[in-house]
Amino acid sequence: MMVALKDLPKEEPYAPGHRLCAGCGPSISVRMALKASRGPTVVVNATGCVEVSTTIYPYTAWRIPWVHTLFENIGAVAGGLEYAYEALERRGQLKGKVDIIALGGDGGTFDIGIQALSGMLERGHDVVYICYDNEAYMNTGIQRSGATPRGAATTTSPAGKVIPGKRGKKKDLAGICAAHGISYVATASIGFFGDYIDKVRRAIEVDGPAVVHVLAPCPLGWRSNPSDTIKLAKMAVQTGLFPIYEIIDGKYKLSLKPGRLIPLEEYLKLQGRFSHLLKPEFKDELEAIKREVEDEYKRILSLAGEHVT
């Protein structure tokens, strides 16, 4: 049963007034995630859009304890913090559980911080790791990351005569995390807020590490209309490009199976980063991407035990 809008807590641990862009998907993802918090919560936040735009001295958007880390060590810091709270509790200096949520963007998760994340998962720290994925390094100049989808034009994968945008697929972050043998991994989209908030709450309730990978569109880097952020987050799921699912104790469970997939072009045409793909000279690249999306979607359906046509 998905959470209903009327049942969400009115408290706002993440306050308005930050400097993130209008229509910022990562910002929406943070606000939604904290609606799932259950008690004392500490956020550990790697460098990135959210960090730099919510903490401009002397202001802060955080109404709960918040710790900044470098891109590369969020997993290590979050794990160390969990041990520290455990030690305080053992000594009788702290009563009750403190939930630790680690927040990292796709650059800090897929690329720079993946070693520390792997260590945190392997050691079994009781931390919820949320990757807000806007599919590039947006705060440093829109460079491609390991999460950037094939065909997207960024400043380090410009579409032209040499390359048709980024070459290569997006990493399978959920699969990588699940391979550590942890009991809960999920993908989510801010376009389906109830599903996302439910997953964050389930991740919090897991005794051990849990990971939620949430798609959070960036109007600046995607060159899209800020008013289309939620629409694009939904369409990514409805085209089959970003399936949302859970991996519970190694078993895949699809969260949403669209009856009929929306044509990929409908999603691409709303974003400047893909505008070249709709030109005749990039027809072959577009067809290759469509085949790739279809194959990946069928792979997830198969893993979830769903009928594949």
Side-chain angles (χ1 to χ4, degrees):
M1 179 73 74
M2 288 186 189
V3 65
L5 200 58
K6 64 181 176 58
D7 295 329
L8 293 179
K10 290 186 170 54
E11 292 78 16
E12 297 285 357
Y14 176 73
H18 49 70
R19 271 62 164 184
L20 285 157
C21 304
C24 172
S27 185
I28 296 169
S29 77
V30 173
R31 185 181 176 204
M32 288 181 176
L34 294 179
K35 290 287 185 185
S37 57
R38 63 179 176 181
T41 302
V42 175
V43 168
V44 183
N45 191 184
T47 298
C49 292
V50 170
E51 174 267 324
V52 300
S53 302
T54 61
T55 57
I56 301 172
Y57 182 81
Y59 305 105
T60 178
W62 299 92
R63 291 170 170 161
I64 55 177
W66 177 91
V67 180
H68 172 229
T69 76
L70 301 176
F71 268 125
E72 62 267 34
N73 63 351
I74 181 172
V77 172
L81 200 60
E82 191 249 343
Y83 275 164
Y85 277 114
E86 188 183 291
L88 290 173
E89 197 171 358
R90 253 195 336 267
R91 295 171 188 170
Q93 295 173 291
L94 178 73
K95 289 185 178 177
K97 176 77 179 166
V98 174
D99 294 324
I100 300 171
I101 295 178
L103 282 177
D106 51 287
T109 304
F110 281 67
D111 303 328
I112 309 173
I114 198 162
Q115 291 179 332
L117 172 60
S118 176
M120 187 197 93
L121 301 180
E122 181 266 330
R123 291 189 298 271
H125 291 285
D126 190 9
V127 172
V128 175
Y129 191 104
I130 299 176
C131 171
Y132 61 89
D133 179 6
N134 56 18
E135 301 190 324
Y137 292 83
M138 298 306 186
N139 69 310
T140 55
I142 316 177
Q143 299 95 351
R144 55 91 86 192
S145 76
T148 303
R150 177 174 173 175
T154 70
T155 53
T156 49
S157 60
K161 292 181 179 177
V162 178
I163 58 170
K166 183 195 170 184
R167 312 303 300 267
K169 296 167 62 174
K170 186 185 186 100
K171 284 183 191 172
D172 177 14
L173 180 70
I176 292 169
C177 293
H180 288 73
I182 64 174
S183 60
Y184 191 80
V185 180
T187 66
S189 162
I190 61 169
F192 296 92
F193 78 91
D195 175 73
Y196 171 46
I197 294 172
D198 279 352
K199 285 172 175 170
V200 174
R201 185 53 184 259
R202 277 198 281 277
I204 290 171
E205 290 172 353
V206 164
D207 185 17
V211 176
V212 179
H213 172 199
V214 59
L215 185 69
C218 168
L220 178 67
W222 293 23
R223 287 182 275 152
S224 57
N225 190 322
S227 64
D228 284 341
T229 295
I230 296 298
K231 179 180 179 180
L232 285 169
K234 283 186 177 177
M235 290 180 76
V237 177
Q238 293 165 334
T239 56
L241 185 68
F242 194 89
I244 51 175
Y245 55 90
E246 296 173 298
I247 310 173
I248 302 172
D249 296 325
K251 294 181 180 176
Y252 283 67
K253 179 185 175 187
L254 202 64
S255 305
L256 177 73
K257 186 178 181 181
R260 182 170 174 273
L261 295 179
I262 294 173
L264 192 62
E265 290 89 337
E266 297 299 309
Y267 174 75
L268 301 181
K269 72 182 183 183
L270 297 177
Q271 304 171 61
R273 62 178 178 157
F274 292 124
S275 59
H276 59 285
L277 293 176
L278 303 178
K279 296 177 181 176
E281 59 266 36
F282 289 96
K283 182 182 176 184
D284 290 344
E285 180 66 11
L286 176 59
E287 291 304 314
I289 291 171
K290 289 166 74 173
R291 287 194 297 274
E292 200 170 276
V293 169
E294 185 179 349
D295 289 347
E296 179 63 14
Y297 181 63
K298 287 181 176 177
R299 184 181 76 87
I300 297 298
L301 286 183
S302 177
L303 287 169
E306 298 281 344
H307 179 63
V308 179
T309 56

